Structure formats: structure tokens, C-alpha cells
Amino acid sequence: MKLQRKNRLRALSLGAVAVSGALALTACGSDDNGDGGTASSGSSASAAAGSVKCDDAKGQLLADGSSAQKNAIDAWVKAFSQACHVQINYKGAGSGAGVTSFNQGQIAFAGSDSALKPEEVAASRKVCSGGQGIDLPMVGGPIALGYNVPGVDDLVLDAPTIARIFDSKITKWNDPAIKKLNPSAKLPDLKIQAFHRSEDSGTTDNFTKYLIATAPDDWKYSGGKAWQAKGGQAASGSAGVAQGVKQNSGAIGYFELSYAKDMDTVAIATGAKAPVKPSTQSATADIAAAKVVGTGKDLALQLDYKTKAEGAYPITLVTYEIVCDKGNKAATLPATKAFLRYIAGEDGQKVLTQNDYAAIPDEIIAKVRTTIEGLS
């Protein structure tokens, strides 16, 4: 592999860090075992730990949800636990599992790559005494399309072509639609194997929201956390999808950038002057244009999947930490607030960029910090 390509992939990789201690947060982006990406160094964690304010934090926190943010959670937990001696158990079973566990009162907070739906907010009122669950955007990043096509190092696709590939309408890599976008590439007469998530996933939700917004004539599905298109190959978690792509010639799949390490990724033709590759910088450029659409203390965002801005990558996700605005359990509230305060703070957000995630833009994260201080 060329040195330039290695450096590019290393820079784009959404860092993966093993969840230490006991924090159970399921990032629906991937329900994996932490086998893709790179953790921050111990020295970085130690430095970050010095800025943590523990207040009255003590005991143990249970959390679950998005696996997309699992690597970030691992780095945060390491620093926070060193400073505050609080045990955090983050399971990372997926966004759907995290929201379910939160609304059953089993965990202090959840991680989800999709904002709470109205029915999920209604269910949260049963466990949030006098309040409800709210979405706090905390982690950003691109959803990469990794592929395994021998002899093709740089591949460009647009939204309609991506939709038809994942809907089994384009079945060979030398299809005229792909050739048109890649006139100089030596595309083989090779069957396409499109991998998708087998379980409910926030990554699937965000990926299909992109297709719905940008290729409505080619993607006729309603979207959501469950995969709806026919055909293709199913795999569990982002790690499973990435592994499927790596092991099968002709494969393509969608997953957080950390799982695209040592893998070719698609550049998206958005209508900008040049196709855009997934990176922390290109994801932040898109998230910066997001609008807060939540009401009250809820900070759910609306992403711009149709962006044509130069250098803005359109297939992005934001992972939310879900917590009660009021009615959090007294036994876990101090530790929950201390942990959320740290990860939303300047040092906590720096951990994201150190691990190849995209930090939340300043204007949005400032609102998150204010909301955390008001949790009760």
C-alpha cells in the first residue's frame, strides 16, 4: 500500500478504543467488540484525567447504546475513572438496545446515533420522574463506505449509484453507471456484494436517511434502524460489516470511519467541485451546518445530507447521550453529570479528535454544556 494512502487512511480512521471498566453504552453505529481503530495513548488519557472535576461522583454507572462512539467512550472512561475512581460499564450493544434499556430504567444514560422518537420520549417519562429523556449531541463522525475491489484504489460514487448498489439494482463493478463516475479506473467484471447491518442500528438509520434525502427516485424505502432493502449480505455490528468487506472480493459496506482502517473508502460526488472523502474534518464541516430541531432542553439535530459545500462529507452521524432532564436517580446523578460534563468539555472533545472522531461544533456543544449543568 502506498505511503500516501496509508497516511490518508490513518487520518480518516474513526478511532476504536476498548471499553474499560463497566460502562454500557450501545452505539447503534456498530455493536462490535472494539476491533477497529486506535485508542489514545496512556499519556493522553493521564493528561485529560487531570482536568476532570469529580464533584460528588462515586460508585458505578451502567450505560449502553451506540457502538459507533464506543472507541471514544473507552478513551473517556479511562481518563474519568483515573480521576474519579468511578466504575463505568458501557456495553455498546447498539442504539436500539441502549434506548430500550434506558426507558426500562436499567441504565443511567444511553448512547444513540438517532434522536429519540416521540414514542420513545413518551416512554421515558415513566422512568424520568417529573421529566423526560433528552438528546445531547456528543460525538460526530462520517459513515464511510469501505470497499474491496482489486486494482481500484480510488473510487467515486454518487447518491443514486450508491442507492442502486445497496438495493441490488447494480450488481457488477463494471456497470456503466460506475464507469461514468470513474472513467480512468480499471473496473473488473466482478459481482458486487453489498453488506448491511443485521440488527437495529443508528448507523443504518443515518445511512438510509442520506439515501432518502439525496436519491429518492432510487431508494424507495421509509428508513429507520432496521435494514429494509432486499438482497445483500447481513452482518452484526460495524465490525462484522467491515470484516465482511475485508474478507470478500467485490464487497462494499457502510460503517464508522474507525472500522475502515487499512481499507479503501469511497469518495462521494456531492455536486461540489471535487468528490469528498470521509474524514474528521469533512464530517465536522457538514455537522457545523446542522440545525437544532429539539424542543425545550432536547438538542436533537437535523443534518444536511444534501450538502454541496466544498470539503463537506454528506454521510455523517451524531451520537447522542440520552439522559433525563429531570428525575435522574439520586444515586447516579452526580457521577452522570460529572462524566457528561467532562466529555462535553474542551478536554473531552479533544479526545475525539485524538481518536479520529469529529468534535461537536462550538455553538452546539456550548448548549450541551449548559443543559448538563441543569440536569436534576
Side-chain angles (χ1 to χ4, degrees), residues 248-333:
N248 291 276
S249 180
I252 185 171
Y254 60 91
F255 31 78
E256 294 74 41
L257 192 56
S258 59
Y259 298 96
K261 188 178 182 181
D262 299 326
M263 190 186 304
D264 291 306
T265 57
V266 172
I268 307 296
T270 63
K273 292 180 181 179
V276 186
K277 295 282 286 186
S279 71
T280 57
Q281 294 83 3
S282 62
T284 297
D286 183 54
I287 296 170
K291 298 179 181 179
V292 175
V293 293
T295 58
K297 294 183 178 180
D298 187 89
L299 297 175
L301 301 177
Q302 183 179 69
L303 298 171
D304 183 10
Y305 297 108
K306 294 183 178 180
T307 182
K308 294 182 180 179
E310 298 299 325
Y313 186 77
I315 318 177
T316 57
L317 63 74
V318 169
T319 294
Y320 302 94
E321 311 312 333
I322 296 171
V323 67
C324 297
D325 58 354
K326 298 178 182 178
N328 292 280
K329 294 180 180 178
T332 57
L333 179 60

Side-chain angles (χ1 to χ4, degrees), residues 119-158:
E119 61 269 25
E120 293 170 336
V121 172
S124 73
R125 296 190 179 105
K126 298 178 181 179
V127 296
C128 299
S129 179
Q132 66 179 46
I134 57 173
D135 301 288
L136 302 178
M138 204 70 75
V139 182
I143 299 173
L145 293 175
Y147 66 95
N148 179 357
V149 182
V152 181
D153 293 336
D154 294 292
L155 182 68
V156 176
L157 296 175
D158 60 11

